[in-house]
Amino acid sequence: MNNVSTRRAAATADNIPAEFGVWLFLLADMAIFAIYFWVFVWYQAQYPDVFAAGQASLNTFYGGFNTLVLLTSSYFAISAVNASRRSDLHRFRRNIWLTIVCGLIFLVVKTLEYGEKFTAGFHIASDSFYTFYFTFTGFHLVHVILGLSFMAYLLFAVREPAALKTQSMQIEGSALYWHMVDLLWVILFSLIYLVQ
Amino acid sequence: MNVFLQDKNLQALLVLFGLTVLAWLAPMLLTVPPVTLGFIVLLVAFVKVRLIMMRFMELHEVYPPLRYAFDAWALVAGGGTIFLYLYL
């Protein structure tokens, strides 16, 4: 209880994970995605038949499996941050590796899914559903690749215990970015694959 | 078991897994109109988003105005999406 009170008291503008600018960047990126969500729902209402047919042609397993993979990766990312705060280099690096493995699994599954779509003759100009499907999931995929590159940087930069302190901002910032990638996918999965 | 009880993030992960599978299987589990089903799936998605923000992004213990800003995003993004879905 005392520990909780101390942490709450320390929650000031000078004491937040990562740099303040990282949080602003995340909010701005998330605001852009919020507009994507609205545009998607708007067009879904304008072309219900096209969107229903498009959604019926998707394999929900790919989206659902990737959601579970990204959620797991977020758990590993926060575990890495906590390990870095405890100066546990071994556990930190292990969790970053696990985050990267999950990210790579996401990429492989997405590649398989895109491959199936291209083989079946669907592409970005097929219809309005597939325009949004490829644009939004593709833009999200770029975020995943960027997040993976941040994680790879951490593996490269943090190879000794002292670096856990000197790189703490980078560690927390990279993990926050990864969580944002995760939460955006949670909504994209629901919107694109599930909501009819 | 002890590890599970102490690790709040692991508990959050399991809740997120459960909500994901529920939303995934909702069309098979629920016999409700498609619009109601869509509303439930979207609502569950934004509940999951808030859980990720609170636990994994540690917003439950950061500088309160920052938490309010992200809560506002969840409210506007989620509320706007659900509103458009229901009323367009």
Side-chain angles (χ1 to χ4, degrees), chain A residues 44-87:
Chain A
Q44 192 174 31
Q46 306 305 312
Y47 306 100
D49 296 339
V50 174
F51 275 66
Q55 283 178 320
S57 68
L58 294 180
N59 186 340
T60 314
F61 175 78
Y62 286 135
F65 179 76
N66 263 347
T67 306
L68 298 179
V69 167
L70 273 193
L71 289 172
T72 308
S73 73
S74 254
Y75 171 73
F76 290 137
I78 184 65
S79 298
V81 170
N82 288 332
S84 77
R85 289 173 185 156
R86 290 193 304 269
S87 300

Side-chain angles (χ1 to χ4, degrees), chain A residues 6-187:
Chain A
T6 309
R7 291 183 84 165
R8 292 241 165 96
T12 64
D14 298 328
N15 190 2
I16 56 171
E19 291 179 35
F20 193 71
V22 171
W23 290 93
L24 288 181
F25 168 76
L26 297 184
L27 256 186
D29 209 7
M30 288 161 65
I32 293 169
F33 267 92
I35 295 168
Y36 290 168
F37 305 150
W38 298 339
V39 170
F40 185 88
V41 176
W42 176 276
Y43 271 86
Q44 192 174 31
Q46 306 305 312
Y47 306 100
D49 296 339
V50 174
F51 275 66
Q55 283 178 320
S57 68
L58 294 180
N59 186 340
T60 314
F61 175 78
Y62 286 135
F65 179 76
N66 263 347
T67 306
L68 298 179
V69 167
L70 273 193
L71 289 172
T72 308
S73 73
S74 254
Y75 171 73
F76 290 137
I78 184 65
S79 298
V81 170
N82 288 332
S84 77
R85 289 173 185 156
R86 290 193 304 269
S87 300
D88 187 340
L89 180 65
H90 173 70
R91 191 161 287 187
F92 166 78
R93 287 182 62 86
R94 189 183 66 191
N95 280 300
I96 292 295
W97 267 117
L98 288 169
T99 307
I100 290 174
V101 168
C102 287
L104 291 175
I105 291 172
F106 183 94
L107 288 186
V108 169
V109 172
K110 205 80 210 136
T111 307
L112 287 173
E113 188 180 6
Y114 280 170
E116 271 191 14
K117 293 294 149 239
F118 291 137
T119 307
F122 296 113
H123 51 82
I124 196 165
S126 291
D127 57 41
S128 53
F129 173 80
Y130 270 100
T131 300
F132 288 118
Y133 166 79
F134 280 112
T135 305
F136 294 166
T137 59
F139 194 44
H140 179 267
L141 196 63
V142 171
H143 282 67
V144 173
I145 293 167
L146 201 57
L148 277 173
S149 67
F150 293 155
M151 293 297 157
Y153 164 80
L154 291 181
L155 275 185
F156 173 77
V158 184
R159 286 184 283 194
E160 53 190 39
L164 289 170
K165 296 292 174 213
T166 57
Q167 298 282 327
S168 65
M169 286 291 183
Q170 288 85 338
I171 292 169
E172 291 175 345
S174 301
L176 282 174
Y177 183 85
W178 192 259
H179 299 315
M180 180 199 69
V181 169
D182 177 23
L183 74 83
L184 291 175
W185 178 256
V186 164
I187 305 169

Side-chain angles (χ1 to χ4, degrees), chain A residues 7 11-13 16-17 23 30-31 38 41-42 60-61 65 71-72 74-75 78 82 85 179 187 190 195-196, chain B residues 7 9-10 13 17 20 24 45-46 49 56-59 61-63 66 70 73 76-77 80-81 84-85 88:
Chain A
R7 291 183 84 165
T12 64
I16 56 171
W23 290 93
M30 288 161 65
W38 298 339
V41 176
W42 176 276
T60 314
F61 175 78
F65 179 76
L71 289 172
T72 308
S74 254
Y75 171 73
I78 184 65
N82 288 332
R85 289 173 185 156
H179 299 315
I187 305 169
S190 301
V195 174
Q196 299 266 328
Chain B
D7 192 343
N9 293 328
L10 184 58
L13 177 67
F17 264 44
T20 301
W24 193 351
F46 280 95
V49 161
F56 293 164
M57 296 174 88
E58 303 179 298
L59 277 169
E61 56 185 28
V62 301
Y63 181 51
L66 198 57
F70 277 78
W73 177 87
V76 172
T81 305
L84 290 173
Y85 176 71
L88 278 181

Side-chain angles (χ1 to χ4, degrees), chain B residues 1 7-8 11 15 20-21 40-41 45 49-51 53 55-56 62 70 72 74 76 78-79 83-84:
Chain B
M1 190 63 184
D7 192 343
K8 294 247 188 288
Q11 293 169 13
V15 171
T20 301
V21 173
I40 292 169
V41 168
V49 161
R50 190 157 192 280
L51 188 54
M53 293 196 309
R55 292 295 342 164
F56 293 164
V62 301
F70 277 78
V76 172
F83 177 81
L84 290 173

